[in-house]
């Protein structure tokens, strides 16, 4: 709670004010005018209440908009993933395999060439064509 920017509510505020009053009561021996003890304690409680009220409180509208924005982003990301999967399904098995090796397993073109037993130049050309096909299929989704 302390330093979080969240305003204490209800019983939490009362608890803090009561705690401050108890702390003040323990220090009552430092009071110069004993007959003004009640005023002294009331001033401490009042000041603590003002301090709690003056704390920065988050804007609830901004919080709600941020949460809705995050939900919207998750929905958009889910739709985009589904479109990407549909576009990948439209590709041939060879094209999907090349893209999986390059981006799924993060292999270099040389490593893909060694694994598939084909020249590196062939891998470069096939990857280029596979990405082009994927781009077209994705746009059509």
């Amino acid at each position: 709670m302390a330093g979080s920017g969240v305003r204490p509510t209800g019983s939490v505020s009362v608890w803090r004010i009561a705690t401050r009053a108890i702390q003040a009561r323990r220090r009552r021996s430092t009071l110069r005018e004993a007959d003004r003890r009640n005023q002294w304690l009331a001033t401490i409680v009042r000041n603590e209440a003002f301090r709690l009220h003056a704390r920065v409180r988050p804007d609830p509208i901004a919080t709600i908009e941020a949460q809705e924005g995050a939900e919207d982003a998750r929905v958009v990301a889910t739709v985009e993933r589904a479109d990407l999967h549909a576009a990948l399904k439209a590709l041939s098995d060879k094209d999907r395999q090349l893209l999986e090796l390059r981006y799924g397993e993060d292999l270099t073109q040389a490593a893909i060439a060694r694994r598939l037993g084909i020249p590196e130049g062939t891998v470069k050309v096939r990857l280029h064509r596979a990405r082009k096909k994927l781009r077209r299929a994705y746009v059509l989704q």
Side-chain angles (χ1 to χ4, degrees):
M1 294 277 264
S4 68
V6 177
R7 180 180 178 197
T9 58
S11 62
V12 175
S13 295
V14 171
W15 178 258
R16 286 188 175 185
I17 291 170
T19 302
R20 184 68 75 182
I22 291 169
Q23 290 171 349
R25 185 149 169 77
R26 288 181 184 147
R27 293 189 202 121
R28 69 182 178 267
S29 62
T30 63
L31 182 61
R32 288 182 215 139
E33 300 176 33
D35 58 329
R36 301 188 72 186
R37 183 178 335 147
N38 289 340
Q39 290 175 329
W40 175 70
L41 190 55
T43 300
I44 290 171
V45 170
R46 184 194 72 210
N47 289 342
E48 182 65 14
F50 284 147
R51 189 182 69 74
L52 287 172
H53 182 71
R55 285 192 173 170
V56 177
R57 294 173 293 280
D59 180 17
I61 293 174
T63 304
I64 291 168
E65 287 175 354
Q67 289 171 348
E68 288 176 354
E71 289 174 15
D72 291 345
R74 283 193 298 270
V75 169
V76 168
T78 301
V79 170
E80 287 176 350
R81 276 194 307 277
D83 288 348
L84 180 61
H85 285 293
L88 283 167
K89 285 182 181 181
L91 298 179
S92 69
D93 289 339
K94 285 184 178 182
D95 290 340
R96 267 198 310 274
Q97 180 188 26
L98 275 173
L99 292 171
E100 173 61 29
L101 291 172
R102 177 66 187 103
Y103 299 105
E105 296 184 27
D106 199 26
L107 296 178
T108 63
Q109 292 172 349
I112 294 170
R114 282 191 302 276
R115 184 177 285 185
L116 297 178
I118 58 176
E120 189 175 344
T122 304
V123 171
K124 288 180 183 184
V125 170
R126 287 185 184 172
L127 272 172
H128 175 75
R129 290 178 183 161
R131 283 190 295 258
K132 192 173 180 180
K133 289 176 189 175
L134 180 62
R135 206 172 299 120
R136 276 194 223 127
Y138 184 75
V139 169
L140 293 176
Q141 294 298 324

